[in-house]
Amino acid sequence: MTETVAVDAGATPTRGRVVAWAFWDWGSAAFNAVVTTFVFTVYLTGSAFGDKDIVSAQLGWALAIAGFLIAVLAPITGQRSDTSGRRKFWLGVNTFVVVAITACMFFVEASPSALLLGLFLVAAGNVFFEFAGVNYNAMLAQVSTPQSIGRVSGFGWGMGYLGGIVLLLIVYFGFISPEVGLFGVTSENGMAVRVSMLISAAWFGLFALPVLLGVPEYRVPKAARRERVGFLRSYAELGHDIARLWKTSRPTVYFLLASAVFRDGLAGVFTFGGVLAASVFGFSAGEVIIFAIAANVVAGVATMSVGALDDRLGAKPVIVTALIGLLVSGLVVFFLHDGGQIVFWTAGLALCLFVGPAQSASRTFLARLIPPGREGEVFGLYATTGRAVSFLAPLSFAVMVTISGETYWGILGIMLVLLLGLLLLLPVKAHQKQIS
């Protein structure tokens, strides 16, 4: 990393820093799109590793365990990066741990004996990716203003989707689609997918560099400075902060709870989307990636476009509209699953139209409330509340599949989580004062 240069959270952002920050989202598509959604988890739940329905359920359990670890640790890591003034440093550390984990997926051969390793790597990658995301989200205040935060957040999310398009095209046409891909790679023993994991690791590592090189390190404002404490003492400090938040900004607590639930449902849409496409609708590995490219186009354009509405109308109307659209589209997929691939193409793309705007607006809703110096702590709570219930979508998916014996019932499990999140969000006040 470069020499550390301190910056106040309120320093005037520049366009170059916005772009440098957003390139992390572009690079993170390597994990979001390729690893957890459209390539590696689809590979892992294929017939080479055992019964598809059983392996899909096991993937749900592995992600649920990862969610528990994130829930316990995320707010502490965020709080400690605030007080240490090393937010960018920890973003870099956690990012490159994810890069290393992704590269290790190369060793997951197409065999039932490698399933446990694959599940472990996906779960561990999710843990460290979420830790990195806490610090990345906290940096949003450093690269935006109150008037532009919706557009900047939407730009970042949109860059993530567009980065996914480019990477998926490289992976598909370079390795998965041809019988003999680049460097003579074939699909034997899962080699096409395994090499794609090496490409994805390099992609994330490369595009994480702009934010680490181009955005100055965070400096703790005097008013927010705290004495550094030990790891266990950090939990006591966290308890005091939560109690204060409950007393002074209760609607924010309600939003954290509501967003935790619906964000888990949003994560479930993408985590299990590729699995459903392959297992229920008969998509081949190549067809899953073609769908993924189209899905990322739709999601990226929608998210960037809706960012301006977020700044104009506020985040809550955007989130509510998106959740309703998701529920309608998801139920169409569930009830018309016998309709073949055309159903997944149409209703599945409709789902993607709403996922990105809901994710981006959720981030800006909270970011507008956080005073300088507490971004890491509050976004740590954001991650924790999300991960405290992050077992919901995987568990609901796994339970539905286990009870019914049919993978498509997992769709209904995810929709139930989204519905619960929407019902919890509706009473939350759209306009709130800054957290004290």
Side-chain angles (χ1 to χ4, degrees):
M1 292 183 202
T2 58
E3 179 182 357
T4 297
V5 180
V7 66
D8 287 316
T12 302
T14 64
R15 182 172 297 179
R17 288 179 184 173
V18 171
V19 173
W21 175 81
F23 262 119
W24 189 91
D25 256 322
W26 173 283
S28 72
F31 193 78
N32 282 330
V34 178
V35 173
T36 63
T37 306
F38 295 115
V39 180
F40 190 73
T41 52
V42 173
Y43 166 69
L44 205 60
T45 54
S47 58
F49 292 91
D51 183 271
K52 291 183 179 181
D53 293 326
I54 293 175
V55 175
S56 294
Q58 290 175 328
L59 175 63
W61 293 118
L63 293 175
I65 293 170
F68 171 77
L69 293 175
I70 293 166
V72 172
L73 298 173
I76 301 305
T77 60
Q79 179 197 82
R80 293 174 71 84
S81 72
D82 282 343
T83 57
S84 68
R86 305 185 74 190
R87 183 177 293 164
K88 186 174 74 170
F89 171 81
W90 287 112
L91 171 63
V93 168
N94 288 308
T95 295
F96 281 95
V97 170
V98 176
V99 168
I101 288 172
T102 304
C104 287
M105 292 176 182
F106 171 80
F107 299 104
V108 181
E109 299 181 354
S111 167
S113 63
L115 175 62
L116 183 59
L117 174 62
L119 293 174
F120 170 77
L121 291 173
V122 170
N126 269 273
V127 172
F128 286 97
F129 185 82
E130 196 70 44
F131 289 170
V134 168
N135 289 290
Y136 177 73
N137 288 335
M139 293 177 74
L140 176 58
Q142 293 173 238
V143 296
S144 66
T145 65
Q147 293 74 33
S148 68
I149 194 168
R151 293 189 297 275
V152 171
S153 179
F155 177 67
W157 276 110
M159 283 283 283
Y161 288 121
L162 297 179
I165 296 168
V166 177
L167 182 56
L168 286 167
L169 284 170
I170 293 171
V171 167
Y172 179 71
F173 289 107
F175 301 100
I176 293 178
S177 177
E179 290 187 13
V180 180
L182 297 175
F183 314 117
V185 172
T186 67
S187 60
E188 184 178 355
N189 197 23
M191 188 58 70
V193 171
R194 293 162 58 197
V195 171
S196 295
M197 295 303 100
L198 295 177
I199 300 299
S200 298
W203 177 276
F204 196 6
L206 176 64
F207 289 108
L209 293 178
V211 68
L212 301 177
L213 299 175
V215 178
E217 180 60 282
Y218 169 76
R219 185 173 64 200
V220 185
K222 290 183 179 180
R225 290 177 184 171
R226 299 184 182 185
E227 179 185 356
R228 294 186 186 181
V229 297
F231 185 81
L232 295 178
R233 175 70 183 276
S234 296
Y235 283 97
E237 295 288 339
L238 176 65
H240 293 312
D241 291 338
I242 294 173
R244 181 174 61 176
L245 189 63
W246 176 255
K247 291 179 180 178
T248 62
S249 187
R250 197 162 297 182
T252 301
V253 178
Y254 295 147
F255 173 74
L256 286 171
L257 175 61
S259 71
V261 176
F262 72 70
R263 282 186 293 123
D264 191 48
L266 297 174
V269 169
F270 269 94
T271 299
F272 297 104
V275 174
L276 289 166
S279 299
V280 177
F281 294 91
F283 280 57
S284 66
E287 289 171 334
V288 169
I289 294 177
I290 293 298
F291 175 83
I293 293 168
N296 276 269
V297 171
V298 171
V301 172
T303 307
M304 288 183 171
S305 302
V306 172
L309 288 177
D310 185 332
D311 286 328
R312 182 178 301 177
L313 303 177
K316 184 179 176 180
V318 172
I319 300 171
V320 170
T321 301
L323 291 178
I324 293 173
L326 282 161
L327 287 169
V328 172
S329 303
L331 290 176
V332 169
V333 174
F334 176 75
F335 286 111
L336 300 182
H337 70 277
D338 285 333
Q341 293 188 1
I342 187 63
V343 171
F344 196 80
W345 269 104
T346 53
L349 289 180
L351 279 165
C352 297
L353 187 68
F354 298 109
V355 170
Q359 291 171 320
S360 177
S362 179
R363 178 166 67 183
T364 60
F365 187 104
L366 188 59
R368 290 186 176 103
L369 305 175
I370 307 174
R374 293 181 64 190
E375 293 89 355
E377 171 202 332
V378 177
F379 272 114
L381 286 174
Y382 183 68
T384 286
T385 53
R387 291 303 179 166
V389 299
S390 67
F391 62 88
L392 282 178
L395 179 63
S396 185
F397 181 92
V399 167
M400 285 294 189
V401 173
T402 302
I403 292 175
S404 67
E406 299 284 351
T407 302
Y408 79 91
W409 274 85
I411 303 168
L412 189 59
I414 295 171
M415 292 303 106
L416 289 173
V417 175
L418 288 172
L419 176 61
L420 177 59
L422 174 60
L423 294 176
L424 290 171
L425 176 66
L426 289 176
V428 176
K429 294 179 181 179
H431 302 287
Q432 302 178 44
K433 296 180 180 179
Q434 189 179 75
I435 297 170
S436 61

